[in-house]
Amino acid sequence: MPTEQVLSGQPPVVIRPMVSGDADQVLRIYQAGLDGGQASFEIRAPQWAEFDAAKLPGHRHVAAEAATGAVLGWVAVSAVSSRRVYAGVVEHSVYVDPARQGRGLGSTLLEALIASTEAAGIWTIQSSIFPENGASFRLHERAGFRVVGTRERVARHHGRWRDTVVVERRSNVAGMD
């Protein structure tokens, strides 16, 4: 169910489920993040069908302007494994339109994600962050994520080896029975 929120310095924002009609805007924001060079090893956003197939339903949210419906950011998760024992562990991505960063949208999207994953019994949300991405570290720390470790020279990005720092958030309620 969509929830309207007023964040500092911007018009009211609705947090709602991501739908296929959001595809162009979601992929545009994704590509803008990739173009910044600090978000992912990927350099091109996939086509919608590939993106859609990789993300778990029920845990895809967008922040949209309440008045216009324009998508300002999104968050979604993928399964980390097809094995049943890892059913409660997901990897997430969160992207905010570069023109709207620093205004609380990332935090609001992570709050929506945490609520939906905990309601579904997911006990761990994880992600990998480039060490140079200080804004992402601060965002995740505020949302209760902790650093698990560093994967050194895990892959090449624009011709050079890069490290990633693995972060996770363990639920205090889901999977604790």
Side-chain angles (χ1 to χ4, degrees), residues 74-161:
W74 61 270
V75 65
V77 301
S78 300
V80 299
S81 175
S82 60
R83 296 173 57 196
R84 271 182 46 125
V85 295
Y86 293 110
V89 183
V90 296
E91 183 166 359
H92 84 288
S93 298
V94 58
Y95 286 81
V96 174
D97 185 313
R100 300 303 183 105
Q101 291 175 353
R103 299 181 188 169
L105 288 172
S107 294
T108 302
L109 286 163
L110 279 179
E111 288 171 14
L113 178 67
I114 291 165
S116 72
T117 56
E118 287 193 338
I122 292 171
W123 58 84
T124 301
I125 305 170
Q126 68 182 36
S127 192
S128 295
I129 303 171
F130 288 134
E132 301 84 2
N133 194 341
S136 187
F137 279 110
R138 290 186 295 279
L139 168 67
H140 286 85
E141 183 179 42
R142 285 191 306 268
F145 285 75
R146 69 182 181 96
V147 172
V148 176
T150 299
R151 298 181 72 197
E152 296 177 356
R153 296 174 45 99
V154 68
R156 293 178 69 83
H157 182 242
H158 297 294
R160 69 180 177 101
W161 287 101

Side-chain angles (χ1 to χ4, degrees), residues 41-91:
F41 284 104
E42 301 296 332
I43 57 171
R44 293 279 173 251
Q47 296 296 311
W48 179 254
E50 181 183 351
F51 178 94
D52 186 48
K55 305 302 181 198
L56 297 178
H59 310 295
R60 310 172 192 199
H61 309 283
V62 297
E65 283 188 357
T68 66
V71 174
L72 309 174
W74 61 270
V75 65
V77 301
S78 300
V80 299
S81 175
S82 60
R83 296 173 57 196
R84 271 182 46 125
V85 295
Y86 293 110
V89 183
V90 296
E91 183 166 359

